[in-house]
Amino acid sequence: MPALSGLMSVMEKAARKAGGRLRRDFGEIEHLQVSKKGPADFVSKADKKAEDTIFRDLETARPDWGFLMEETGEIAGRDGKPRFIVDPLDGTSNFLHGIPHFAISIAVQDPHPEGKGWGDVFAALVYNPITDESFWAEKGKGAWLGNRRLRVSARRNLNEALISTGVPYKGHGDIEEWSKIYSAIAPEVAGIRRFGAASLDLAWLAAGRYDGFWESELSPWDTAAGCLLVREAGGFVTDYRGRSPAIANVQVLAGNDQLHSRLHKLLVGALK
C-alpha cells in the first residue's frame, strides 16, 4: 500500500469528521419520521452542515484551491490551481427515509493544461459513514479500500454479471431512454440493482462488488470520485458514445474491459 499523501490525508480527515456528524444526525431520522413537520428540513440542514465541515477543513489546508460543491456551487480558486469537487451527502433520499446507504464524495481536478476549463481528476475519496468504508484513489497509484488494493471484477460473461443503475424519478431522468436500455440489458445479466447513491455504485464496481453500471443526467459531484476509482481499479468509464471524459456524468457506462464492451453494444442497440 502506498503511504497516504498529504492531500489524501486531508481529504480523509475532512470526510470522517463530516461523516461522524452525519451518523449522529442519521440517528435522529427515525424520531423525525413520525413528526408532523417531517425530516426533510432536518436533512437539508444535515447536508449543509456536512458540506460546511468539509469546506472548512479543505479550505484551511489548501486556501488557494477552488471548489465545486452540491449545495454551495462553485467557488473560484487562484488561477492555475486545482479544485475540490464535493458531494457532502450522496444518497439524500436514502438518508431522508432512514435507509443506511449514503456517502461523502470528494474529488480533486486539475485545471486544463491549455487553460480550457478543467482537466483530469487526480485524487478521489468516497466515504460511507455507516460502514466506515473509505474508498480512495490517486492517479497512477491504484484504487484502495483502506489498505486493500481494489480491482474491478474479472467476470467475462454477462449472465454472471450484477449491474447497478439509477432509475429516473419525478423531474429527473429520461424514463423512456432508461426503459429501452433496461429492456436490452436485464434479460442478459444475473441481476440489476438500484441502491440510490451513484458514488457508492462506482466505488462498489471498483471493489468488484458490481460488474457494471449505467446512469444518465448525474452531476459532476456524483461521479467525479467514482470515475477515478473505477479507472484506477482497472475498469473503463465512458459516455454512451464510448468517449472517456475526465468526469462522466451526463451519461455514464462503466465496467471491466470485457463487460463494458458488451454492455455498450447492448446500450447502443437499444437506443438506435
Side-chain angles (χ1 to χ4, degrees):
M1 171 186 172
L4 280 181
S5 67
L7 173 60
M8 191 56 64
S9 295
V10 166
M11 291 165 61
E12 179 146 4
K13 180 181 177 183
R16 286 185 177 278
K17 183 187 293 186
R21 293 175 179 175
L22 284 177
R23 276 196 304 273
R24 290 194 294 273
D25 288 340
F26 185 71
E28 297 297 317
I29 290 294
E30 182 178 358
H31 303 295
L32 291 166
Q33 291 285 5
V34 297
S35 72
K36 187 173 182 180
K37 188 174 183 181
D41 288 343
F42 176 82
V43 172
S44 67
K45 290 176 182 176
D47 200 332
K48 190 65 171 68
K49 283 191 299 183
E51 185 172 281
D52 289 344
T53 296
I54 294 167
F55 172 73
R56 284 196 303 270
D57 278 17
L58 297 182
E59 197 270 341
T60 297
R62 300 291 189 274
D64 51 354
W65 289 18
F67 286 82
L68 178 64
M69 299 182 285
E70 181 180 21
E71 299 300 320
T72 306
E74 189 163 9
I75 299 174
R78 190 196 303 175
D79 286 349
K81 292 295 183 180
R83 69 174 178 178
F84 292 103
I85 303 175
V86 178
D87 190 341
L89 179 53
D90 183 27
T92 305
S93 292
N94 286 344
F95 191 99
L96 174 66
H97 288 86
I99 297 171
H101 188 79
F102 52 88
I104 293 166
S105 176
I106 305 173
V108 188
Q109 187 177 27
D110 263 333
H112 194 281
E114 298 177 4
K116 301 175 182 178
W118 293 97
D120 290 339
V121 173
F122 65 89
L125 176 74
V126 174
Y127 177 63
N128 183 335
I130 298 299
T131 62
D132 195 35
E133 290 182 311
S134 180
F135 303 85
W136 64 276
E138 291 187 274
K139 192 173 181 180
K141 296 183 179 180
W144 302 80
L145 172 53
N147 61 3
R148 179 169 66 85
R149 181 73 181 263
L150 298 181
R151 296 294 297 178
V152 292
S153 80
R155 293 185 182 89
R156 293 293 182 261
N157 299 318
L158 281 172
N159 62 7
E160 299 173 347
L162 186 63
I163 310 299
S164 58
T165 187
V167 180
Y169 53 92
K170 184 176 180 180
H172 181 88
D174 184 335
I175 187 64
E176 183 178 353
E177 177 189 80
W178 182 88
S179 297
K180 289 178 180 177
I181 298 171
Y182 177 85
S183 296
I185 292 177
E188 306 296 328
V189 300
I192 293 179
R193 300 289 183 267
R194 197 277 193 187
F195 280 3
S199 63
L200 281 174
D201 286 339
L202 291 166
W204 283 18
L205 196 155
R209 299 175 185 177
Y210 289 139
D211 303 297
F213 171 78
W214 93 88
E215 191 169 355
S216 61
E217 297 190 28
L218 294 165
S219 298
W221 45 80
D222 295 317
T223 62
C227 285
L228 184 64
L229 282 166
V230 172
R231 287 165 175 156
E232 286 294 315
F236 289 79
V237 185
T238 70
D239 63 16
Y240 292 174
R241 295 176 64 182
R243 300 171 299 189
S244 300
I247 302 172
N249 61 282
V250 177
Q251 298 171 337
V252 192
L253 179 67
N256 66 30
D257 55 349
Q258 293 289 324
L259 293 182
H260 181 278
S261 177
R262 291 170 185 173
L263 290 168
H264 185 246
K265 184 176 181 180
L266 290 172
L267 187 151
V268 169
L271 298 182
K272 280 184 178 177

